[in-house]
Amino acid sequence: MIPEMNQPPPTIASPATPFAAARRIGVLLLGFAFLLAPAIFAPPLGLSSTAWKTAAIALTMALWWASEAIPLAATALLPIVLFPALKIIPLDKVSHAYANPLVFLFMGGFMLALAVERWGLHKRIAVLVLARISARPPAVLAGFMAVSWGLSMWISNTATAVMMLPIALSVIRVITPDERSRSPRPLPAFRDTVPEERRRHFAQALLLGTAYGCSIGGIATLVGTPPNAFFAAFMAERYAISIGFAQWMAFALPLSLALLIMTWILLSRFIYRLHELDITAATDVIARERASLGRISGPEKSVLVLFVVTALFWITRPLINQLTSVFSLSDAGIAITAGLCLFLIPARLKEGGGLLDWPTARRLPWGILILFGGGLALADAVAASGLAVWIGEALHGLAVFPPLILGVLLTSVTVFLTELTSNTATTATFLPIIASLGENLGIAPMVLALPVVIGASCAFMMPVATPPNAVVFASGHLRIWDMARAGILVNLGAILLISGYTAIFARAFLVTWN
């Protein structure tokens, strides 16, 4: 899940109630207590003083990330201050993590997303695809989920959810009233023949399917969600395993598609039974949306061409590098080149100005880039200090479980933990530990790490779990219980599917990634 691009990340730094203020102060004090622990208490048996100090910092960062007592990016700056001061890692090595090539890959991807949003290209793509869907409720749900899934591979899942919500609400308002906005009553055909509860079930399925499609789509590409890019950077730095854009898609795209189909089946057949509902009039709503788009503009065409060319370069980069020795392409270089082209290519020749201007580019989620660097710096310290090895040895009792069961257990912990915490923070905290556990158990670290990383993007139960969940929850058609009831089934299905898929295919892909 990529955090909001149009809004600052959520924080409780400005509490609205006395209880929230007391909670924030308590969390901050507990974090400082963790930092002081190495100066007061001797390290546990077998743990070096350096690793003990690293553990204290890791606990503080995990606590502040989970509670958001201060902004996520602010917590991510702690390694720059504490690691050199406590002689854990020199400053030059710590700062290197904040300039990882994957940071620039994300930056270029964000620029493309902002340009797509600026000219409304994302809405045109969505409406044109939906216009070709039949009026059968399961097909409408599949269409919304597929469009959300496809767009969120490349642009912010929050932006995708925000764009899809008005279209979904337009369809919903034809079928069921919106009490919050006092929208018109449903069409007589629905009011007279379809029970109100069934109409509300369709609304809930459509909104949840849209949010879930946004989260699942991000799994398919390295730029789709921060944990994917963090995993690629971690494997490169820790194990010298290079995972390119096309290599990740070859592994993750089939899994992401399988998750999408599984989620659609659960929502349409088992949770809401949409095959029992007829909503033929929905086609009129989508037709009106299509008519309102007008002809595609010049800037939209230019952004679309650049978007397609960039994606093609990402996909074919390994082949291009094999065919020529004149230059060497990188995913980050391609992304930044695309970002520069957005400033260089004029939007309209007569008016001047590029496809992307700096006022728009300032909306880049800089905080996520800092959070990304802070997570990598923490991962480096956990490995360099020996903390990861110590934790892996302490968890050696898990060797009694076969890899598949171990994968299920670790994925379950990640999926349910990320319902309440940032998926990037969860990945940054657990990935070094899981990798070291694999080393100590004689299992390829990737076999255990992959289901954890992918599971971090599968938070379907709570509105606070991911921005798309919060976007659709704000529509007023869902209660927390509605989201939790559907989400826990999707969570359980995702845990089993992710664990089984990675157990079968991770080793085969590891050979191609070495």
Side-chain angles (χ1 to χ4, degrees):
M1 52 184 177
I2 301 176
E4 295 89 340
M5 300 183 69
N6 298 330
Q7 306 174 26
T11 178
I12 60 171
S14 300
T17 66
F19 175 78
R23 172 179 174 270
R24 176 175 181 265
I25 292 173
V27 168
L28 290 175
L29 290 177
L30 183 58
F32 286 121
F34 285 153
L35 292 177
L36 291 174
I40 302 174
F41 303 102
L45 184 64
L47 191 65
S48 67
S49 60
T50 301
W52 184 219
K53 290 183 286 187
T54 303
I57 297 172
L59 286 173
T60 301
M61 293 179 68
L63 175 65
W64 288 357
W65 269 334
S67 64
E68 299 187 43
I70 61 175
L72 297 178
T75 299
L77 293 173
L78 284 177
I80 295 179
V81 177
L82 297 178
F83 287 165
L86 298 177
K87 298 182 179 180
I88 298 173
I89 297 181
L91 179 60
D92 57 343
K93 291 186 178 180
V94 175
S95 59
H96 176 74
Y98 294 82
N100 187 279
L102 270 299
V103 172
F104 295 98
L105 171 61
F106 244 44
M107 184 183 294
F110 285 148
M111 289 181 180
L112 273 173
L114 286 170
V116 169
E117 293 175 47
R118 183 189 184 195
W119 299 106
L121 178 61
H122 53 335
K123 182 176 181 180
R124 180 178 298 276
I125 295 172
V127 172
L128 290 178
V129 171
L130 291 172
R132 289 165 172 78
I133 298 173
S134 74
R136 294 177 59 250
V140 174
L141 176 63
F144 272 83
M145 292 182 68
V147 173
S148 302
W149 176 75
L151 288 175
S152 62
M153 293 184 195
W154 313 99
I155 69 174
S156 160
N157 59 6
T158 308
T160 304
V162 170
M163 178 273 299
M164 293 295 292
L165 182 62
I167 303 174
L169 290 178
S170 296
V171 174
I172 289 169
R173 287 176 186 138
V174 175
I175 299 164
T176 187
D178 182 350
E179 296 173 357
R180 283 173 26 118
S181 62
R182 297 181 181 178
S183 65
R185 294 179 62 81
L187 295 181
F190 298 121
R191 187 178 65 242
D192 299 338
T193 62
V194 182
E196 181 179 351
E197 182 182 7
R198 300 293 299 120
R199 289 185 262 120
R200 293 191 183 279
H201 283 177
F202 171 78
Q204 293 170 6
L206 196 60
L207 292 170
L208 289 175
T210 298
Y212 295 168
C214 292
S215 296
I216 294 170
I219 295 171
T221 65
L222 278 180
V223 297
T225 182
N228 298 353
F230 183 88
F231 172 76
F234 174 81
M235 296 304 294
E237 292 195 4
R238 180 81 172 267
Y239 301 103
I241 296 176
S242 176
I243 304 173
F245 196 92
Q247 293 169 311
W248 176 266
M249 281 195 74
F251 173 81
L253 183 61
L255 174 58
S256 178
L257 180 58
L259 282 170
L260 186 76
I261 295 172
M262 179 207 70
T263 304
W264 172 74
I265 293 173
L266 287 175
L267 288 175
S268 64
R269 298 292 299 185
F270 295 100
I271 300 175
Y272 292 112
R273 296 181 289 116
L274 296 185
H275 58 285
E276 300 176 1
L277 181 63
D278 179 23
I279 55 165
T280 308
T283 55
D284 297 332
V285 177
I286 297 173
R288 287 196 298 270
E289 289 283 347
R290 182 180 182 181
S292 68
L293 290 175
R295 298 183 60 183
I296 186 170
S297 65
E300 284 182 88
K301 293 179 182 177
S302 299
V303 173
L304 177 61
V305 170
L306 184 59
F307 184 91
V308 172
V309 170
T310 302
L312 288 175
F313 268 106
W314 273 332
I315 294 170
T316 60
R317 178 187 63 81
L319 178 62
I320 294 174
N321 285 341
Q322 288 179 3
L323 294 178
T324 179
S325 59
V326 176
F327 52 83
S328 178
L329 297 179
S330 66
D331 289 337
I334 293 170
I336 294 299
T337 300
L340 289 172
C341 288
L342 290 170
F343 291 100
L344 294 171
I345 299 174
R348 296 183 176 90
L349 292 176
K350 294 182 180 180
E351 299 177 9
L355 294 171
L356 186 64
D357 56 11
W358 191 246
T360 304
R362 281 205 301 258
R363 291 166 42 211
L364 274 168
W366 304 103
I368 275 296
L369 301 180
I370 296 174
L371 175 63
F372 192 78
L376 287 175
L378 176 60
D380 288 343
V382 168
S385 66
L387 175 61
V389 174
W390 183 85
I391 294 175
E393 293 174 348
L395 296 175
H396 200 272
L398 294 175
V400 297
F401 297 105
L404 177 59
I405 300 301
L406 188 57
V408 171
L409 293 175
L410 295 174
T411 307
S412 300
V413 171
T414 305
V415 167
F416 286 105
L417 181 63
T418 199
E419 293 287 351
L420 300 174
T421 63
S422 161
N423 62 355
T424 306
T426 301
T427 305
T429 302
F430 280 93
L431 187 56
I433 298 172
I434 299 303
S436 296
L437 175 62
E439 292 176 0
N440 281 276
L441 298 182
I443 303 171
M446 188 178 296
V447 175
L448 294 183
L450 272 172
V452 169
V453 170
I454 296 172
S457 296
C458 296
F460 304 120
M461 287 179 58
M462 301 295 292
V464 298
T466 177
N469 287 9
V471 168
V472 299
F473 184 79
S475 68
H477 287 278
L478 292 162
R479 300 167 299 173
I480 291 181
W481 167 247
D482 297 323
M483 187 171 286
R485 180 175 67 93
I488 192 169
L489 293 178
V490 180
N491 273 4
L492 293 174
I495 289 169
L496 295 176
L497 183 57
I498 292 169
S499 303
Y501 182 89
T502 52
I504 295 171
F505 296 107
R507 295 182 187 276
F509 277 92
L510 179 59
V511 174
T512 65
W513 290 352
N514 274 323

